[in-house]
């Protein structure tokens, strides 16, 4: 394992900034995207997306936060949101990539069960046979348009995430991991606890016993974004999740998220996503 210097890192959204919830999950083969880029995907990160890659035939190399790992057949790669990564594949490599929006993980992974914390660690590991089978089933279900497709995708997504988390918990392969900084993990856990209370950066920094400036330097280095953006992003993710998975009126969603004025909530949501809450919901209904 070798380490390389980190260049300027682009932040990509697979589905587009305003429309990254067009489906329950997104599935594609490794060759679909890699063939277009001469089998090499330069380093980048996803602020709102979590990815699993299963390499079935061929080989290559992955970079995770500057650490490089070989990818022999039968390898599974867990890439949490915000983790800097890039891939280089041998021509004609076969495998699949499954992408989960952050809202999907918020909906599926319950607090207190430990899965969220385990899956927040980047990992390269031998693919668990059951997880590999479920990933293939997920790709097949994604490609179809049969009745109950969305429900089957949700169920398979939960199964895959549980199987991968269980395999990661059992492997304990610290040498094949690129863990997030411990303070960042604590910050994100605090956000999950207090985002409905609309804590500011100073309040989170005080709870973490660091300065607000230090906290924002940490998040910029790890994710390319200031601490305030991560705080707002959690609120926006919950708003989007409610807009997608419930029929609640926008005003009810605003109040549930701790906004005293639904009009102000609409302004915050529109600034963050480029669409008003109603327009966001309408676009998803059309897609």
């Amino acid at each position: 394992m070798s380490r390389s210097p980190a260049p300027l890192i682009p932040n990509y959204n697979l589905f587009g900034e305003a429309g990254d919830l067009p489906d329950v999950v997104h599935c594609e083969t490794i060759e679909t995207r890699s063939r277009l880029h001469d089998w090499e995907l330069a380093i980048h990160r996803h602020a709102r997306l979590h990815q699993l890659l299963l390499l079935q035939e061929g080989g290559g190399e992955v970079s995770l936060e500057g650490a490089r790992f070989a990818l022999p057949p039968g390898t599974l790669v867990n890439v949490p949101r915000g983790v800097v990564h890039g891939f280089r594949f041998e021509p004609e490599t076969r495998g699949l990539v499954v992408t989960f929006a952050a809202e999907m993980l918020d909906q599926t992974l319950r607090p207190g069960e430990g899965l969220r914390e385990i899956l927040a660690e980047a990992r390269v590991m031998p693919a668990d046979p059951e997880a590999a089978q479920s990933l293939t089933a997920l790709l097949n279900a994604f490609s179809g348009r049969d009745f109950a497709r969305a429900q089957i995708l949700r169920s398979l997504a939960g199964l895959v995430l549980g199987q991968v988390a269980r395999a990661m918990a059992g492997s304990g392969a610290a040498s094949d991991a690129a863990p997030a900084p411990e303070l960042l993990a604590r910050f994100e856990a605090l956000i999950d606890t207090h985002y409905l209370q609309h804590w500011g950066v100073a309040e989170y920094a005080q709870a973490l016993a660091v300065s607000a400036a230090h906290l924002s330097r940490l998040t910029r280095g790890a994710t390319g974004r200031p601490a305030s953006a991560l705080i707002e992003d959690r609120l926006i993710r919950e708003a989007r999740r409610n807009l997608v998975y419930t029929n609640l009126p926008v005003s009810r969603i605003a109040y549930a998220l701790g906004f005293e004025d639904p009009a102000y909530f609409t302004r915050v949501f529109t600034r963050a996503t480029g669409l008003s809450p109603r327009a966001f919901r309408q676009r998803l209904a059309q897609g």
Side-chain angles (χ1 to χ4, degrees):
M1 183 177 73
S2 61
R3 295 191 176 269
S4 58
L8 295 177
I9 301 161
N11 191 357
Y12 294 143
N13 191 313
L14 186 64
F15 306 116
E17 197 58 38
D20 55 347
L21 282 174
D23 213 333
V24 178
V25 298
H26 180 80
C27 304
E28 65 183 33
T29 63
I30 288 175
E31 51 268 37
T32 297
R33 194 171 301 266
S34 301
R35 196 185 299 275
L36 300 175
H37 299 278
D38 198 24
W39 300 95
E40 185 167 353
L41 302 175
I43 62 167
H44 58 284
R45 57 162 63 103
H46 304 289
R48 296 173 178 159
L49 305 175
H50 184 113
Q51 291 186 316
L52 296 173
L53 180 142
L54 173 65
L55 195 142
Q56 296 167 313
E57 295 180 12
E61 183 181 70
V62 61
S63 172
L64 294 172
E65 295 292 350
R68 297 187 179 277
F69 304 93
L71 295 177
T75 298
L76 179 72
V77 185
N78 181 64
V79 186
R81 61 188 181 90
V83 169
V84 178
H85 62 286
F87 293 96
R88 181 185 57 77
F89 299 108
E90 298 172 2
E92 309 309 321
T93 289
R94 291 184 60 255
L96 56 93
V97 183
V98 177
T99 304
F100 307 87
E103 290 86 350
M104 177 64 183
L105 269 68
D106 292 337
Q107 180 80 4
T108 304
L109 305 179
R110 296 186 178 183
E113 293 185 351
L115 277 73
R116 186 189 300 269
E117 292 77 8
I118 291 173
L119 290 168
E121 179 182 298
R123 181 71 68 86
V124 179
M125 57 190 288
D128 174 79
E130 292 182 353
Q133 184 176 8
S134 298
L135 282 165
T136 301
L138 193 56
L139 177 64
N140 292 336
F142 179 82
S143 302
R145 288 295 181 269
D146 295 334
F147 179 74
R149 173 181 177 275
Q151 178 61 43
I152 291 171
L153 286 175
R154 282 192 292 269
S155 298
L156 286 171
L159 177 62
V160 165
L161 291 167
Q163 289 170 332
V164 172
R166 182 179 61 188
M168 289 176 64
S171 69
S175 61
D176 283 353
E182 187 266 344
L183 183 60
L184 179 62
R186 288 169 53 206
F187 176 47
E188 292 184 334
L190 275 177
I191 292 176
D192 273 338
T193 302
H194 296 290
Y195 71 94
L196 292 178
Q197 299 169 334
H198 291 233
W199 276 20
V201 175
E203 290 167 295
Y204 283 106
Q206 183 177 11
L208 293 166
V210 298
S211 70
H214 177 76
L215 183 58
S216 274
R217 281 195 300 271
L218 170 75
T219 61
R220 282 187 186 278
T223 70
R225 308 169 74 211
S228 58
L230 271 64
I231 297 167
E232 181 179 272
D233 187 55
R234 184 63 184 88
L235 267 173
I236 298 301
R237 277 165 42 205
E238 193 68 15
R240 288 147 52 112
R241 188 173 71 84
N242 278 278
L243 289 166
V244 172
Y245 296 114
T246 77
N247 294 318
L248 291 173
V250 171
S251 59
R252 286 277 304 279
I253 293 174
Y255 292 132
L257 293 177
F259 289 88
E260 297 180 0
D261 180 7
Y264 177 62
F265 163 69
T266 294
R267 291 197 296 273
V268 171
F269 187 92
T270 303
R271 184 187 68 237
T273 68
L275 292 172
S276 71
R278 287 184 176 84
F280 179 81
R281 180 175 266 170
Q282 289 169 358
R283 174 174 289 191
L284 290 171
Q286 295 167 358

